[in-house]
Coordinates of all heavy atoms in Angstrom, one line a residue:
M1 N 1.5 -5.8 -23.3 CA 1.0 -4.4 -23.6 C 1.6 -3.4 -22.6 O 1.3 -3.5 -21.4 CB -0.5 -4.4 -23.5 CG -1.1 -3.0 -24.0 SD -1.0 -2.9 -25.8 CE -1.8 -1.3 -26.0
L2 N 2.4 -2.5 -23.1 CA 3.1 -1.6 -22.2 C 2.3 -0.3 -22.1 O 1.6 0.1 -23.0 CB 4.5 -1.2 -22.8 CG 5.5 -2.4 -22.9 CD1 6.7 -1.9 -23.7 CD2 5.9 -2.9 -21.6
P3 N 2.3 0.3 -20.9 CA 1.6 1.6 -20.8 C 2.3 2.7 -21.7 O 3.5 2.6 -21.9 CB 1.8 1.9 -19.3 CG 2.8 1.0 -18.7 CD 3.0 -0.1 -19.7
V4 N 1.5 3.6 -22.1 CA 1.9 4.7 -23.0 C 1.7 6.0 -22.3 O 0.6 6.2 -21.7 CB 1.2 4.6 -24.4 CG1 1.6 5.8 -25.2 CG2 1.5 3.3 -25.1
V5 N 2.7 6.8 -22.3 CA 2.6 8.2 -21.8 C 2.9 9.2 -22.8 O 3.7 8.9 -23.8 CB 3.4 8.4 -20.5 CG1 3.0 7.5 -19.4 CG2 4.9 8.2 -20.8
R6 N 2.4 10.4 -22.7 CA 2.7 11.5 -23.7 C 3.6 12.5 -22.9 O 3.1 13.1 -22.0 CB 1.4 12.1 -24.2 CG 1.7 13.2 -25.2 CD 0.4 13.5 -26.0 NE 0.1 12.5 -27.0 CZ 0.7 12.4 -28.3 NH1 1.6 13.3 -28.6 NH2 0.4 11.5 -29.1
L7 N 4.8 12.7 -23.4 CA 5.7 13.6 -22.8 C 6.4 14.4 -23.9 O 6.9 13.8 -24.9 CB 6.8 12.9 -22.0 CG 6.2 12.0 -20.8 CD1 7.3 11.0 -20.3 CD2 5.9 13.0 -19.6
D8 N 6.6 15.7 -23.7 CA 7.3 16.6 -24.7 C 6.6 16.4 -26.1 O 7.3 16.4 -27.1 CB 8.8 16.2 -24.8 CG 9.5 16.7 -23.5 OD1 8.9 17.3 -22.7 OD2 10.7 16.5 -23.4
G9 N 5.3 16.2 -26.1 CA 4.6 16.1 -27.4 C 4.8 14.8 -28.1 O 4.5 14.6 -29.3
T10 N 5.4 13.8 -27.4 CA 5.7 12.5 -28.1 C 5.1 11.4 -27.2 O 5.1 11.5 -26.0 CB 7.2 12.3 -28.2 OG1 7.8 13.4 -28.9 CG2 7.6 11.0 -28.9
A11 N 4.6 10.4 -27.9 CA 4.1 9.2 -27.1 C 5.2 8.2 -26.9 O 5.9 7.8 -27.8 CB 3.0 8.6 -27.9
W12 N 5.3 7.7 -25.6 CA 6.4 6.8 -25.2 C 5.8 5.6 -24.6 O 4.9 5.7 -23.8 CB 7.3 7.5 -24.2 CG 8.0 8.8 -24.7 CD1 7.4 10.0 -24.6 CD2 9.3 9.0 -25.2 NE1 8.2 11.0 -25.1 CE2 9.4 10.4 -25.5 CE3 10.3 8.1 -25.5 CZ2 10.6 10.9 -26.0 CZ3 11.5 8.6 -26.1 CH2 11.6 10.0 -26.3
F13 N 6.3 4.4 -24.9 CA 6.1 3.2 -24.1 C 6.9 3.3 -22.8 O 8.0 3.8 -22.8 CB 6.5 2.0 -24.9 CG 5.6 1.6 -26.0 CD1 6.2 1.5 -27.3 CD2 4.3 1.3 -25.9 CE1 5.4 1.2 -28.4 CE2 3.5 0.9 -26.9 CZ 4.1 0.9 -28.2
V14 N 6.3 2.9 -21.7 CA 7.0 2.8 -20.5 C 7.4 1.3 -20.3 O 6.5 0.5 -20.0 CB 6.1 3.3 -19.3 CG1 7.0 3.3 -18.0 CG2 5.6 4.7 -19.5
D15 N 8.6 1.0 -20.4 CA 9.1 -0.3 -20.3 C 9.7 -0.5 -18.9 O 10.9 -0.1 -18.7 CB 10.1 -0.7 -21.3 CG 10.4 -2.2 -21.4 OD1 10.4 -2.8 -20.3 OD2 10.5 -2.8 -22.5
L16 N 8.9 -1.0 -17.9 CA 9.4 -1.1 -16.5 C 10.5 -2.1 -16.4 O 11.2 -2.0 -15.4 CB 8.2 -1.3 -15.6 CG 7.1 -0.3 -15.6 CD1 5.9 -0.7 -14.8 CD2 7.6 1.1 -15.1
R17 N 10.5 -3.1 -17.2 CA 11.5 -4.2 -17.1 C 12.8 -3.7 -17.5 O 13.8 -3.9 -16.9 CB 11.0 -5.4 -17.9 CG 11.8 -6.7 -17.6 CD 11.3 -7.9 -18.4 NE 11.2 -7.6 -19.8 CZ 12.3 -7.8 -20.6 NH1 13.4 -8.3 -20.1 NH2 12.2 -7.6 -21.9
L18 N 12.9 -3.0 -18.7 CA 14.1 -2.5 -19.2 C 14.5 -1.1 -18.6 O 15.6 -0.6 -18.8 CB 14.1 -2.4 -20.7 CG 14.0 -3.7 -21.5 CD1 14.0 -3.5 -23.0 CD2 15.1 -4.6 -21.1
R19 N 13.5 -0.6 -17.8 CA 13.7 0.7 -17.2 C 14.0 1.8 -18.2 O 15.1 2.5 -18.1 CB 14.8 0.7 -16.1 CG 14.4 -0.3 -15.0 CD 15.5 -0.4 -13.9 NE 16.0 0.9 -13.5 CZ 15.3 1.6 -12.6 NH1 14.1 1.3 -12.2 NH2 15.8 2.8 -12.3
Q20 N 13.2 1.9 -19.2 CA 13.4 3.0 -20.2 C 12.0 3.4 -20.9 O 11.1 2.6 -20.9 CB 14.4 2.5 -21.3 CG 13.9 1.3 -22.1 CD 14.9 0.7 -23.0 OE1 14.6 0.1 -24.0 NE2 16.2 0.9 -22.7
F21 N 12.0 4.6 -21.4 CA 10.9 5.1 -22.2 C 11.3 4.8 -23.6 O 12.4 5.2 -24.0 CB 10.7 6.6 -22.0 CG 10.2 6.9 -20.6 CD1 11.1 7.2 -19.6 CD2 8.9 6.9 -20.3 CE1 10.7 7.6 -18.3 CE2 8.4 7.2 -19.0 CZ 9.3 7.6 -18.0
R22 N 10.4 4.3 -24.4 CA 10.7 4.0 -25.9 C 9.6 4.8 -26.7 O 8.5 4.6 -26.5 CB 10.7 2.6 -26.2 CG 12.0 1.9 -26.1 CD 12.1 0.6 -27.0 NE 11.0 -0.2 -26.8 CZ 10.8 -1.0 -25.7 NH1 11.7 -1.0 -24.8 NH2 9.8 -1.8 -25.6
E23 N 10.1 5.5 -27.7 CA 9.2 6.3 -28.5 C 8.3 5.3 -29.3 O 8.9 4.3 -29.9 CB 10.0 7.2 -29.5 CG 9.1 8.2 -30.2 CD 10.0 9.1 -31.1 OE1 11.2 9.3 -30.8 OE2 9.4 9.7 -32.0
T24 N 7.0 5.5 -29.3 CA 6.1 4.5 -29.9 C 6.3 4.4 -31.4 O 6.2 3.4 -32.0 CB 4.6 4.8 -29.6 OG1 4.4 6.2 -30.1 CG2 4.3 4.7 -28.1
M25 N 6.6 5.6 -32.0 CA 6.7 5.7 -33.5 C 8.1 5.3 -34.0 O 8.4 5.1 -35.1 CB 6.3 7.1 -34.0 CG 4.9 7.5 -33.6 SD 3.7 6.4 -34.2 CE 3.7 6.8 -36.0
N26 N 9.1 5.3 -33.0 CA 10.5 5.1 -33.4 C 11.2 4.3 -32.2 O 11.8 5.0 -31.4 CB 11.2 6.4 -33.7 CG 12.7 6.1 -34.0 OD1 13.1 5.0 -34.2 ND2 13.4 7.2 -34.0
P27 N 11.0 3.0 -32.1 CA 11.5 2.3 -31.0 C 13.0 2.3 -30.8 O 13.5 2.0 -29.7 CB 11.1 0.8 -31.3 CG 10.0 0.9 -32.3 CD 10.3 2.2 -33.1
H28 N 13.7 2.8 -31.8 CA 15.2 3.0 -31.7 C 15.5 4.2 -30.8 O 16.7 4.3 -30.3 CB 15.9 3.1 -33.0 CG 15.7 1.9 -33.9 ND1 16.3 0.6 -33.5 CD2 15.0 1.6 -35.0 CE1 16.0 -0.3 -34.4 NE2 15.2 0.3 -35.3
N29 N 14.6 5.1 -30.6 CA 14.8 6.2 -29.8 C 14.2 5.9 -28.4 O 13.0 5.8 -28.2 CB 14.1 7.5 -30.4 CG 14.3 8.7 -29.5 OD1 15.3 8.8 -28.9 ND2 13.4 9.6 -29.6
Y30 N 15.1 5.8 -27.4 CA 14.7 5.5 -26.1 C 15.4 6.4 -25.0 O 16.5 6.9 -25.3 CB 14.8 4.0 -25.7 CG 16.2 3.5 -25.8 CD1 17.0 3.6 -24.6 CD2 16.8 3.0 -27.0 CE1 18.3 3.1 -24.7 CE2 18.1 2.5 -27.0 CZ 18.8 2.6 -25.9 OH 20.1 2.1 -25.9
V31 N 14.8 6.5 -23.8 CA 15.4 7.3 -22.7 C 15.5 6.4 -21.5 O 14.4 5.9 -21.0 CB 14.6 8.5 -22.4 CG1 15.2 9.3 -21.3 CG2 14.5 9.4 -23.7
D32 N 16.7 6.1 -21.0 CA 16.8 5.3 -19.8 C 16.3 6.0 -18.6 O 16.5 7.3 -18.5 CB 18.3 4.9 -19.6 CG 18.7 3.8 -20.5 OD1 17.9 2.9 -20.8 OD2 19.9 3.9 -21.0
F33 N 15.7 5.3 -17.7 CA 15.2 5.9 -16.4 C 16.3 6.6 -15.7 O 16.1 7.7 -15.0 CB 14.6 4.9 -15.5 CG 13.2 4.4 -15.9 CD1 12.7 4.7 -17.1 CD2 12.5 3.5 -15.0 CE1 11.4 4.3 -17.5 CE2 11.3 3.0 -15.4 CZ 10.7 3.4 -16.6
D34 N 17.5 6.1 -15.7 CA 18.6 6.6 -14.9 C 19.3 7.8 -15.5 O 20.3 8.3 -14.9 CB 19.6 5.5 -14.7 CG 19.0 4.3 -13.9 OD1 18.2 4.6 -13.0 OD2 19.4 3.2 -14.1
T35 N 18.8 8.4 -16.6 CA 19.4 9.6 -17.1 C 18.7 10.8 -16.6 O 17.6 10.7 -16.0 CB 19.3 9.6 -18.7 OG1 18.0 9.6 -19.0 CG2 20.0 8.4 -19.3
V36 N 19.2 12.0 -16.8 CA 18.6 13.2 -16.3 C 17.2 13.4 -16.9 O 16.2 13.6 -16.3 CB 19.5 14.4 -16.6 CG1 18.7 15.7 -16.3 CG2 20.8 14.4 -15.8
K37 N 17.2 13.1 -18.2 CA 15.9 13.2 -19.0 C 14.9 12.2 -18.5 O 13.7 12.4 -18.3 CB 16.1 13.1 -20.5 CG 14.9 13.4 -21.3 CD 15.3 13.4 -22.8 CE 14.1 13.7 -23.7 NZ 14.5 13.7 -25.1
G38 N 15.5 11.0 -18.3 CA 14.6 9.9 -17.8 C 14.0 10.1 -16.4 O 12.9 9.8 -16.2
T39 N 14.8 10.7 -15.6 CA 14.3 11.1 -14.2 C 13.2 12.1 -14.3 O 12.2 11.9 -13.6 CB 15.5 11.7 -13.4 OG1 16.5 10.7 -13.3 CG2 15.0 12.0 -12.0
R40 N 13.3 13.0 -15.2 CA 12.3 14.0 -15.4 C 11.0 13.4 -16.0 O 9.9 13.6 -15.5 CB 12.7 15.2 -16.3 CG 11.7 16.2 -16.6 CD 12.3 17.4 -17.3 NE 12.9 17.2 -18.6 CZ 12.1 17.1 -19.7 NH1 10.8 17.3 -19.7 NH2 12.7 16.8 -20.8
F41 N 11.2 12.5 -16.9 CA 10.1 11.8 -17.5 C 9.4 10.9 -16.5 O 8.1 10.9 -16.4 CB 10.6 10.9 -18.6 CG 10.7 11.5 -20.0 CD1 10.6 12.9 -20.1 CD2 10.9 10.8 -21.1 CE1 10.7 13.5 -21.4 CE2 11.0 11.4 -22.4 CZ 10.9 12.7 -22.5
C42 N 10.1 10.3 -15.6 CA 9.5 9.5 -14.6 C 8.6 10.3 -13.7 O 7.5 9.9 -13.3 CB 10.6 8.8 -13.7 SG 11.3 7.3 -14.5
Q43 N 9.1 11.5 -13.3 CA 8.4 12.4 -12.4 C 7.1 12.8 -13.2 O 6.0 12.8 -12.6 CB 9.2 13.6 -12.0 CG 10.3 13.3 -11.1 CD 11.3 14.5 -10.8 OE1 11.2 15.5 -11.6 NE2 12.1 14.3 -9.8
Q44 N 7.2 13.2 -14.4 CA 6.0 13.7 -15.2 C 5.0 12.5 -15.5 O 3.8 12.7 -15.5 CB 6.5 14.3 -16.5 CG 7.3 15.6 -16.3 CD 7.8 16.2 -17.6 OE1 7.9 15.5 -18.6 NE2 8.1 17.5 -17.6
A45 N 5.5 11.3 -15.7 CA 4.7 10.2 -16.1 C 4.2 9.5 -14.8 O 3.3 8.6 -14.9 CB 5.5 9.2 -16.9
G46 N 4.7 9.8 -13.6 CA 4.3 9.1 -12.4 C 4.9 7.7 -12.3 O 4.3 6.8 -11.8
V47 N 6.1 7.6 -12.8 CA 6.8 6.3 -12.6 C 7.7 6.4 -11.4 O 8.5 7.3 -11.3 CB 7.7 6.0 -13.8 CG1 8.5 4.7 -13.6 CG2 6.8 5.8 -15.1
V48 N 7.5 5.5 -10.4 CA 8.4 5.5 -9.2 C 9.1 4.2 -9.1 O 8.5 3.2 -9.5 CB 7.6 5.8 -7.9 CG1 7.1 7.3 -8.0 CG2 6.5 4.8 -7.8
T49 N 10.2 4.2 -8.4 CA 11.0 3.0 -8.2 C 11.1 2.6 -6.8 O 11.4 3.5 -6.0 CB 12.4 3.1 -8.8 OG1 12.3 3.4 -10.2 CG2 13.2 1.8 -8.6
C50 N 10.8 1.4 -6.4 CA 10.8 0.9 -5.0 C 12.3 1.0 -4.6 O 13.2 0.4 -5.2 CB 10.3 -0.5 -4.9 SG 10.5 -1.2 -3.3
L51 N 12.5 1.6 -3.5 CA 13.9 1.7 -3.0 C 14.4 0.4 -2.3 O 15.6 0.2 -2.1 CB 14.0 2.8 -1.9 CG 13.7 4.2 -2.5 CD1 13.8 5.3 -1.3 CD2 14.7 4.6 -3.6
R52 N 13.5 -0.5 -2.0 CA 13.8 -1.7 -1.4 C 14.3 -2.8 -2.4 O 15.3 -3.4 -2.2 CB 12.7 -2.2 -0.5 CG 13.0 -3.5 0.2 CD 11.8 -4.1 0.9 NE 11.6 -3.6 2.2 CZ 10.6 -3.9 3.0 NH1 9.7 -4.8 2.6 NH2 10.5 -3.4 4.2
C53 N 13.5 -3.0 -3.4 CA 13.8 -4.0 -4.4 C 14.0 -3.6 -5.8 O 14.4 -4.4 -6.6 CB 12.6 -5.1 -4.3 SG 11.1 -4.5 -5.2
G54 N 13.8 -2.3 -6.1 CA 14.2 -1.8 -7.4 C 13.1 -1.9 -8.4 O 13.3 -1.6 -9.6
T55 N 12.0 -2.4 -8.0 CA 10.9 -2.6 -9.0 C 10.2 -1.2 -9.3 O 10.0 -0.4 -8.4 CB 9.8 -3.5 -8.4 OG1 10.3 -4.8 -8.2 CG2 8.6 -3.6 -9.4
S56 N 10.0 -0.9 -10.6 CA 9.3 0.3 -10.9 C 7.9 0.1 -11.2 O 7.5 -0.9 -11.8 CB 10.0 0.9 -12.2 OG 11.3 1.2 -11.9
V57 N 7.1 1.1 -10.8 CA 5.6 1.0 -11.0 C 5.1 2.3 -11.5 O 5.7 3.4 -11.3 CB 4.8 0.6 -9.7 CG1 5.2 -0.8 -9.3 CG2 5.1 1.6 -8.6
V58 N 4.0 2.3 -12.3 CA 3.4 3.5 -12.8 C 2.3 3.9 -11.8 O 1.4 3.1 -11.6 CB 2.9 3.4 -14.2 CG1 2.2 4.6 -14.7 CG2 4.0 3.0 -15.2
V59 N 2.4 5.1 -11.3 CA 1.4 5.5 -10.3 C 0.4 6.6 -10.8 O -0.5 7.0 -10.1 CB 2.0 6.0 -9.0 CG1 2.8 4.9 -8.3 CG2 2.8 7.2 -9.2
S60 N 0.6 7.1 -12.0 CA -0.2 8.1 -12.5 C -1.7 7.6 -12.6 O -1.9 6.5 -13.0 CB 0.2 8.6 -13.9 OG 0.2 7.6 -14.8
G61 N -2.6 8.4 -12.2 CA -4.0 8.0 -12.1 C -4.4 7.4 -10.8 O -5.6 7.2 -10.6
S62 N -3.4 7.1 -9.9 CA -3.8 6.6 -8.6 C -4.3 7.7 -7.8 O -3.9 8.8 -7.9 CB -2.5 6.0 -8.0 OG -2.0 4.9 -8.7
P63 N -5.3 7.4 -6.9 CA -5.8 8.4 -6.0 C -4.6 9.0 -5.1 O -3.8 8.2 -4.6 CB -6.7 7.6 -5.1 CG -7.1 6.4 -5.9 CD -5.9 6.1 -6.7
L64 N -4.5 10.3 -5.0 CA -3.4 10.9 -4.3 C -3.4 10.6 -2.9 O -2.3 10.6 -2.2 CB -3.5 12.4 -4.6 CG -3.2 12.9 -6.0 CD1 -3.3 14.4 -6.1 CD2 -1.9 12.4 -6.5
D65 N -4.6 10.3 -2.3 CA -4.6 10.1 -0.8 C -4.4 8.7 -0.4 O -4.4 8.3 0.7 CB -5.9 10.7 -0.2 CG -7.1 10.0 -0.9 OD1 -6.9 9.4 -2.0 OD2 -8.2 10.1 -0.4
E66 N -4.1 7.9 -1.4 CA -3.8 6.5 -1.1 C -2.3 6.2 -1.4 O -1.8 6.6 -2.4 CB -4.6 5.5 -2.0 CG -6.1 5.4 -1.6 CD -6.8 4.3 -2.3 OE1 -6.1 3.4 -2.8 OE2 -8.0 4.4 -2.3
G67 N -1.7 5.6 -0.4 CA -0.3 5.3 -0.6 C -0.1 4.3 -1.8 O -1.0 3.5 -2.1
V68 N 1.1 4.3 -2.4 CA 1.4 3.4 -3.5 C 2.3 2.3 -2.9 O 3.3 2.6 -2.3 CB 2.0 4.1 -4.7 CG1 2.4 3.1 -5.7 CG2 1.1 5.2 -5.2
C69 N 2.0 1.1 -3.2 CA 2.8 0.0 -2.7 C 3.5 -0.7 -3.8 O 2.9 -0.9 -4.9 CB 2.0 -1.0 -1.9 SG 1.4 -0.3 -0.3
C70 N 4.7 -1.2 -3.6 CA 5.4 -1.9 -4.6 C 4.7 -3.2 -4.9 O 4.2 -3.9 -4.0 CB 6.8 -2.2 -4.0 SG 7.8 -3.4 -5.1
V71 N 4.6 -3.5 -6.2 CA 3.8 -4.8 -6.6 C 4.6 -6.0 -6.2 O 4.0 -7.1 -6.1 CB 3.5 -4.8 -8.1 CG1 2.6 -3.6 -8.5 CG2 4.8 -4.6 -8.9
R72 N 5.9 -5.9 -6.0 CA 6.7 -7.1 -5.7 C 6.8 -7.3 -4.2 O 6.6 -8.4 -3.7 CB 8.1 -6.9 -6.3 CG 9.0 -8.2 -6.1 CD 10.4 -8.0 -6.6 NE 10.5 -8.0 -8.0 CZ 11.6 -7.7 -8.7 NH1 12.7 -7.5 -8.0 NH2 11.6 -7.7 -10.0
C73 N 7.2 -6.3 -3.4 CA 7.5 -6.5 -2.0 C 6.6 -5.8 -1.1 O 6.7 -6.1 0.1 CB 9.0 -6.1 -1.7 SG 9.3 -4.3 -1.7
G74 N 5.7 -5.0 -1.6 CA 4.7 -4.4 -0.7 C 5.2 -3.1 0.0 O 4.5 -2.5 0.8
W75 N 6.4 -2.7 -0.2 CA 7.0 -1.5 0.4 C 6.2 -0.3 -0.1 O 5.8 -0.2 -1.2 CB 8.5 -1.4 -0.1 CG 9.2 -0.2 0.4 CD1 9.5 0.9 -0.3 CD2 9.9 -0.1 1.6 NE1 10.2 1.7 0.5 CE2 10.5 1.1 1.7 CE3 10.0 -1.0 2.7 CZ2 11.2 1.6 2.8 CZ3 10.8 -0.6 3.8 CH2 11.4 0.7 3.8
A76 N 5.9 0.6 0.9 CA 5.2 1.8 0.5 C 6.1 2.7 -0.3 O 7.1 3.3 0.3 CB 4.7 2.5 1.8
V77 N 5.8 2.9 -1.5 CA 6.6 3.7 -2.4 C 6.1 5.2 -2.4 O 5.0 5.4 -2.6 CB 6.5 3.2 -3.9 CG1 7.4 4.0 -4.8 CG2 7.0 1.7 -3.9
D78 N 7.1 6.1 -2.2 CA 6.7 7.5 -2.2 C 6.5 7.9 -3.6 O 7.4 7.8 -4.5 CB 7.9 8.3 -1.5 CG 7.6 9.8 -1.5 OD1 6.4 10.2 -1.9 OD2 8.5 10.5 -1.1
N79 N 5.4 8.5 -4.0 CA 5.1 8.9 -5.4 C 5.6 10.3 -5.6 O 5.4 10.9 -6.7 CB 3.7 8.7 -5.7 CG 2.7 9.7 -5.0 OD1 3.2 10.6 -4.3 ND2 1.5 9.5 -5.2
G80 N 6.2 11.0 -4.6 CA 6.8 12.3 -4.8 C 5.9 13.4 -4.9 O 6.3 14.5 -5.3
R81 N 4.6 13.2 -4.6 CA 3.7 14.3 -4.6 C 3.3 14.8 -3.3 O 3.3 14.0 -2.3 CB 2.4 13.9 -5.4 CG 2.7 13.6 -6.8 CD 1.4 13.2 -7.5 NE 1.7 12.6 -8.8 CZ 0.9 11.8 -9.5 NH1 -0.3 11.5 -9.0 NH2 1.2 11.3 -10.6
Ligands
ZN101 ZN1 9.7 -3.4 -3.8

């Protein structure tokens, strides 16, 4: 079960393994994290990538005063807020 975020009026699956957003109603339409649009989506959706190991995590909904740690290596990931 992938997390779903709503961006630009569209619901997207957040696929952290493939590093892309996929439209829930049209899976053929996707946005890679590494594109300009994908970078903006990541910021809006609260998706951050660990600089140490490259693992992406969704941080939206996390308490702002608590640091976010990478689920794989424990590195403190900056959520950009
Ligand atoms: Zn990591």
Side-chain angles (χ1 to χ4, degrees):
M1 188 73 182
L2 298 170
V4 175
V5 295
R6 180 165 285 278
L7 297 163
D8 288 357
T10 304
W12 305 83
F13 288 118
V14 184
D15 193 323
L16 298 174
R17 190 174 59 83
L18 295 179
R19 298 178 50 74
Q20 60 186 209
F21 294 92
R22 268 204 312 284
E23 192 177 336
T24 56
M25 304 301 285
N26 178 13
H28 296 293
N29 183 26
Y30 62 89
V31 177
D32 285 320
F33 285 7
D34 294 329
T35 62
V36 172
K37 189 175 182 180
T39 300
R40 178 169 61 83
F41 274 13
C42 282
Q43 290 172 347
Q44 292 176 338
V47 176
V48 294
T49 301
C50 175
L51 296 178
R52 179 188 274 180
C53 73
T55 298
S56 296
V57 294
V58 179
V59 299
S60 62
S62 299
L64 293 179
D65 56 346
E66 285 188 20
V68 178
C69 291
C70 174
V71 294
R72 182 185 290 174
C73 73
W75 181 260
V77 180
D78 181 8
N79 67 6
R81 294 180 194 160

